[in-house]
Amino acid sequence: MSKRDHGGGLDAAVAAYGGVRSDWLDLSTGINPVPYPVGEITAGAWTALPDQGAMDRLLAAARVFWNVPDGAEVVAANGASALIAAMPHVWDGTRVSIPAPTYNEHAAAFAANGWQVGERGDVHVVVHPNNPDGRVWGDAPSARSIVIDESFCDVMPEASHVARAVHPDTVILKSFGKFWGLAGARLGFAICAPEIAQKLRDQLGPWAVAGPALEIGARALEDVAWAEATRDRLATDAKRLDDLVGWDLVGGTDLFRTYAVPDAAATQDKLARGHVWSRIFPYSKTWIRLGLPAPDQWDQLEAAL
């Protein structure tokens, strides 16, 4: 299988442009640069198999945080990517429609399981807001079944489609790592009808989430004040980034911004010489995407520009 296009890959950038990892500012992903303060993790979270009590606490916190409607269930997994990989096994069908450009793991997951990816399908997948251009979706297009990936929607909770999760033909996906800045915890959620939830649990098997992630996830989802303050900070920093770079804004969210420049590869190269790593795309010669710098990293970005 050919390598899939993603952000990250900082080791390769360091090898190509020099320095050490600690010298670099990685803006190639859309991960909150000010992560949720993890705090201390109990010893048992590391040493014991995850128990049901810890999972129940996490799922209860998720229901409250995302205002999950009665009649829908929440399934937690080892990252949203694990749930994306499971989606082809949830539905009956052979064709899936996925509007492009968008996050490429959806098409890869269905194609790897023999589905035909095209403009029309038995299943429709949308990323809301979309990665990388930030498009938001209103009423989803007609399809027998729909997957709505809301991995970046926690910066704009009022736009969530979570109320649709009561329908037996809908799955809402949520990512923990991006908004809370803890991608390494590997935690994701599916919000869906009971029948689909059971199919997912059967595929994921026991202990689908590591003990430390159960503890961290529950603690973070229960901290509503942190989430509200974080949304305000991200909105301020997204505008600051727009003003600093001065490029034409294609779109994005408050976690990442996609711009149009005359030559994306040349711009990425220029930034990399200042040890700032960015994201460009194989389907566009002009689009470049930047995540947000941490509070102490803005000077490095400005110098690279």
Side-chain angles (χ1 to χ4, degrees), residues 47-96:
T47 59
L49 289 172
D51 64 24
Q52 191 59 44
M55 177 64 80
D56 289 345
R57 179 189 171 192
L58 175 68
L59 298 182
R63 292 195 72 90
V64 173
F65 187 85
W66 285 307
N67 195 25
V68 175
D70 293 340
E73 296 188 6
V74 183
V75 178
N78 178 30
S81 58
L83 294 163
I84 291 172
M87 286 297 104
H89 306 286
V90 166
W91 314 106
D92 295 323
T94 59
R95 299 176 305 164
V96 59

Side-chain angles (χ1 to χ4, degrees), residues 55 58 75-87 103 105-106 149 151 172-178 182-190 200 204 207-210 213-214:
M55 177 64 80
L58 175 68
V75 178
N78 178 30
S81 58
L83 294 163
I84 291 172
M87 286 297 104
Y103 184 57
E105 283 300 313
H106 292 285
D149 182 345
S151 290
I172 309 292
L173 298 178
K174 297 284 190 178
S175 170
F176 178 80
K178 297 175 178 64
L182 296 170
R186 306 310 307 137
L187 183 58
F189 300 85
L200 288 172
L204 294 169
W207 314 303
V209 178
L214 290 172

Side-chain angles (χ1 to χ4, degrees), residues 28-199:
S28 67
T29 69
I31 297 169
N32 183 352
V34 184
Y36 183 79
V38 170
E40 294 187 9
I41 305 301
T42 61
W46 295 104
T47 59
L49 289 172
D51 64 24
Q52 191 59 44
M55 177 64 80
D56 289 345
R57 179 189 171 192
L58 175 68
L59 298 182
R63 292 195 72 90
V64 173
F65 187 85
W66 285 307
N67 195 25
V68 175
D70 293 340
E73 296 188 6
V74 183
V75 178
N78 178 30
S81 58
L83 294 163
I84 291 172
M87 286 297 104
H89 306 286
V90 166
W91 314 106
D92 295 323
T94 59
R95 299 176 305 164
V96 59
S97 62
I98 306 173
T102 194
Y103 184 57
N104 60 33
E105 283 300 313
H106 292 285
F110 279 95
N113 286 278
W115 288 62
Q116 182 179 4
V117 181
E119 294 184 359
R120 296 185 178 182
D122 307 300
V123 177
H124 191 78
V125 178
V126 295
V127 179
H128 167 80
N130 190 49
N131 175 13
D133 60 8
R135 286 172 296 163
V136 294
W137 298 87
D139 291 335
S142 60
R144 192 177 72 188
S145 307
I146 185 161
V147 178
I148 306 174
D149 182 345
E150 294 192 348
S151 290
F152 287 101
C153 202
D154 289 308
V155 296
M156 47 189 304
E158 70 283 354
S160 175
H161 288 285
V162 70
R164 292 179 55 100
V166 296
H167 299 299
D169 61 352
T170 301
V171 173
I172 309 292
L173 298 178
K174 297 284 190 178
S175 170
F176 178 80
K178 297 175 178 64
F179 179 71
W180 283 271
L182 296 170
R186 306 310 307 137
L187 183 58
F189 300 85
I191 304 171
C192 51
E195 181 180 351
I196 297 177
Q198 188 56 53
K199 289 181 180 180

Side-chain angles (χ1 to χ4, degrees), residues 234-280:
L234 291 171
T236 298
D237 285 355
K239 184 180 184 305
R240 179 181 178 183
L241 183 60
D242 292 343
D243 293 341
L244 177 62
V245 300
W247 299 327
D248 291 337
L249 180 65
V250 173
T253 72
D254 287 345
L255 283 165
F256 64 84
R257 314 297 278 172
T258 299
Y259 304 99
V261 295
D263 186 331
T267 303
Q268 184 184 55
D269 177 75
K270 176 183 177 181
L271 291 174
R273 295 181 187 280
H275 291 173
V276 174
W277 193 228
S278 57
R279 173 85 185 275
I280 59 175

